PDB file of all heavy atoms in Angstrom:
ATOM      1  N   LEU A 298     -57.055  24.288  58.060  1.00  0.00           N
ATOM      2  CA  LEU A 298     -56.123  24.279  56.915  1.00  0.00           C
ATOM      3  C   LEU A 298     -54.693  24.536  57.418  1.00  0.00           C
ATOM      4  O   LEU A 298     -53.740  23.840  57.041  1.00  0.00           O
ATOM      5  CB  LEU A 298     -56.540  25.364  55.913  1.00  0.00           C
ATOM      6  CG  LEU A 298     -55.568  25.673  54.778  1.00  0.00           C
ATOM      7  CD1 LEU A 298     -55.530  24.520  53.781  1.00  0.00           C
ATOM      8  CD2 LEU A 298     -55.938  26.974  54.056  1.00  0.00           C
ATOM      9  N   ALA A 299     -54.559  25.531  58.308  1.00  0.00           N
ATOM     10  CA  ALA A 299     -53.231  25.872  58.832  1.00  0.00           C
ATOM     11  C   ALA A 299     -52.657  24.723  59.673  1.00  0.00           C
ATOM     12  O   ALA A 299     -51.443  24.487  59.653  1.00  0.00           O
ATOM     13  CB  ALA A 299     -53.313  27.154  59.655  1.00  0.00           C
ATOM     14  N   GLU A 300     -53.530  23.998  60.370  1.00  0.00           N
ATOM     15  CA  GLU A 300     -53.046  22.847  61.165  1.00  0.00           C
ATOM     16  C   GLU A 300     -52.469  21.763  60.262  1.00  0.00           C
ATOM     17  O   GLU A 300     -51.440  21.157  60.559  1.00  0.00           O
ATOM     18  CB  GLU A 300     -54.183  22.269  62.022  1.00  0.00           C
ATOM     19  CG  GLU A 300     -54.435  23.103  63.275  1.00  0.00           C
ATOM     20  CD  GLU A 300     -55.766  22.778  63.949  1.00  0.00           C
ATOM     21  OE1 GLU A 300     -56.423  21.801  63.549  1.00  0.00           O
ATOM     22  OE2 GLU A 300     -56.136  23.539  64.865  1.00  0.00           O
ATOM     23  N   ILE A 301     -53.151  21.542  59.139  1.00  0.00           N
ATOM     24  CA  ILE A 301     -52.667  20.532  58.173  1.00  0.00           C
ATOM     25  C   ILE A 301     -51.285  20.957  57.658  1.00  0.00           C
ATOM     26  O   ILE A 301     -50.337  20.170  57.603  1.00  0.00           O
ATOM     27  CB  ILE A 301     -53.656  20.409  56.982  1.00  0.00           C
ATOM     28  CG1 ILE A 301     -55.022  19.922  57.456  1.00  0.00           C
ATOM     29  CG2 ILE A 301     -53.088  19.497  55.907  1.00  0.00           C
ATOM     30  CD1 ILE A 301     -56.109  19.980  56.377  1.00  0.00           C
ATOM     31  N   ILE A 302     -51.195  22.236  57.278  1.00  0.00           N
ATOM     32  CA  ILE A 302     -49.937  22.749  56.708  1.00  0.00           C
ATOM     33  C   ILE A 302     -48.833  22.703  57.761  1.00  0.00           C
ATOM     34  O   ILE A 302     -47.706  22.270  57.485  1.00  0.00           O
ATOM     35  CB  ILE A 302     -50.149  24.193  56.181  1.00  0.00           C
ATOM     36  CG1 ILE A 302     -51.128  24.176  55.002  1.00  0.00           C
ATOM     37  CG2 ILE A 302     -48.819  24.817  55.779  1.00  0.00           C
ATOM     38  CD1 ILE A 302     -51.541  25.552  54.496  1.00  0.00           C
ATOM     39  N   GLN A 303     -49.157  23.138  58.962  1.00  0.00           N
ATOM     40  CA  GLN A 303     -48.143  23.183  60.024  1.00  0.00           C
ATOM     41  C   GLN A 303     -47.507  21.808  60.251  1.00  0.00           C
ATOM     42  O   GLN A 303     -46.287  21.691  60.367  1.00  0.00           O
ATOM     43  CB  GLN A 303     -48.784  23.664  61.331  1.00  0.00           C
ATOM     44  CG  GLN A 303     -47.796  23.764  62.481  1.00  0.00           C
ATOM     45  CD  GLN A 303     -48.511  23.985  63.817  1.00  0.00           C
ATOM     46  OE1 GLN A 303     -49.586  23.411  64.047  1.00  0.00           O
ATOM     47  NE2 GLN A 303     -47.939  24.805  64.658  1.00  0.00           N
ATOM     48  N   ALA A 304     -48.356  20.777  60.281  1.00  0.00           N
ATOM     49  CA  ALA A 304     -47.838  19.427  60.562  1.00  0.00           C
ATOM     50  C   ALA A 304     -46.791  19.032  59.524  1.00  0.00           C
ATOM     51  O   ALA A 304     -45.712  18.519  59.857  1.00  0.00           O
ATOM     52  CB  ALA A 304     -48.988  18.423  60.573  1.00  0.00           C
ATOM     53  N   ARG A 305     -47.089  19.293  58.253  1.00  0.00           N
ATOM     54  CA  ARG A 305     -46.153  18.880  57.194  1.00  0.00           C
ATOM     55  C   ARG A 305     -44.900  19.762  57.196  1.00  0.00           C
ATOM     56  O   ARG A 305     -43.786  19.268  57.000  1.00  0.00           O
ATOM     57  CB  ARG A 305     -46.867  18.945  55.848  1.00  0.00           C
ATOM     58  CG  ARG A 305     -46.030  18.484  54.698  1.00  0.00           C
ATOM     59  CD  ARG A 305     -45.575  17.032  54.816  1.00  0.00           C
ATOM     60  NE  ARG A 305     -46.561  16.112  54.319  1.00  0.00           N
ATOM     61  CZ  ARG A 305     -46.314  14.827  54.028  1.00  0.00           C
ATOM     62  NH1 ARG A 305     -45.110  14.313  54.204  1.00  0.00           N
ATOM     63  NH2 ARG A 305     -47.272  14.051  53.594  1.00  0.00           N
ATOM     64  N   VAL A 306     -45.082  21.065  57.435  1.00  0.00           N
ATOM     65  CA  VAL A 306     -43.924  21.964  57.434  1.00  0.00           C
ATOM     66  C   VAL A 306     -42.983  21.605  58.596  1.00  0.00           C
ATOM     67  O   VAL A 306     -41.761  21.570  58.436  1.00  0.00           O
ATOM     68  CB  VAL A 306     -44.396  23.446  57.490  1.00  0.00           C
ATOM     69  CG1 VAL A 306     -43.231  24.375  57.735  1.00  0.00           C
ATOM     70  CG2 VAL A 306     -45.095  23.816  56.191  1.00  0.00           C
ATOM     71  N   GLU A 307     -43.565  21.296  59.740  1.00  0.00           N
ATOM     72  CA  GLU A 307     -42.729  20.878  60.876  1.00  0.00           C
ATOM     73  C   GLU A 307     -41.964  19.605  60.535  1.00  0.00           C
ATOM     74  O   GLU A 307     -40.789  19.464  60.874  1.00  0.00           O
ATOM     75  CB  GLU A 307     -43.605  20.634  62.115  1.00  0.00           C
ATOM     76  CG  GLU A 307     -43.970  21.909  62.828  1.00  0.00           C
ATOM     77  CD  GLU A 307     -44.880  21.690  64.035  1.00  0.00           C
ATOM     78  OE1 GLU A 307     -45.349  20.551  64.258  1.00  0.00           O
ATOM     79  OE2 GLU A 307     -45.138  22.673  64.731  1.00  0.00           O
ATOM     80  N   GLU A 308     -42.634  18.709  59.844  1.00  0.00           N
ATOM     81  CA  GLU A 308     -41.977  17.453  59.468  1.00  0.00           C
ATOM     82  C   GLU A 308     -40.801  17.712  58.516  1.00  0.00           C
ATOM     83  O   GLU A 308     -39.732  17.124  58.662  1.00  0.00           O
ATOM     84  CB  GLU A 308     -42.989  16.506  58.807  1.00  0.00           C
ATOM     85  CG  GLU A 308     -42.426  15.107  58.618  1.00  0.00           C
ATOM     86  CD  GLU A 308     -42.895  14.435  57.345  1.00  0.00           C
ATOM     87  OE1 GLU A 308     -43.534  15.090  56.500  1.00  0.00           O
ATOM     88  OE2 GLU A 308     -42.602  13.239  57.187  1.00  0.00           O
ATOM     89  N   ILE A 309     -41.025  18.633  57.565  1.00  0.00           N
ATOM     90  CA  ILE A 309     -39.944  18.950  56.607  1.00  0.00           C
ATOM     91  C   ILE A 309     -38.717  19.481  57.368  1.00  0.00           C
ATOM     92  O   ILE A 309     -37.590  19.029  57.141  1.00  0.00           O
ATOM     93  CB  ILE A 309     -40.435  19.971  55.541  1.00  0.00           C
ATOM     94  CG1 ILE A 309     -41.496  19.323  54.638  1.00  0.00           C
ATOM     95  CG2 ILE A 309     -39.262  20.499  54.707  1.00  0.00           C
ATOM     96  CD1 ILE A 309     -42.151  20.262  53.619  1.00  0.00           C
ATOM     97  N   PHE A 310     -38.952  20.403  58.320  1.00  0.00           N
ATOM     98  CA  PHE A 310     -37.796  20.958  59.036  1.00  0.00           C
ATOM     99  C   PHE A 310     -37.175  19.943  59.997  1.00  0.00           C
ATOM    100  O   PHE A 310     -35.961  19.976  60.234  1.00  0.00           O
ATOM    101  CB  PHE A 310     -38.151  22.273  59.730  1.00  0.00           C
ATOM    102  CG  PHE A 310     -38.336  23.387  58.740  1.00  0.00           C
ATOM    103  CD1 PHE A 310     -39.574  23.979  58.553  1.00  0.00           C
ATOM    104  CD2 PHE A 310     -37.277  23.808  57.944  1.00  0.00           C
ATOM    105  CE1 PHE A 310     -39.747  24.977  57.608  1.00  0.00           C
ATOM    106  CE2 PHE A 310     -37.442  24.798  56.998  1.00  0.00           C
ATOM    107  CZ  PHE A 310     -38.681  25.389  56.824  1.00  0.00           C
TER     108      PHE A 310
END
Side-chain angles (χ1 to χ4, degrees):
L298 170 71
E300 281 165 9
I301 297 171
I302 294 173
Q303 181 191 38
R305 183 61 85 164
V306 170
E307 280 178 353
E308 190 216 9
I309 292 175
F310 288 114

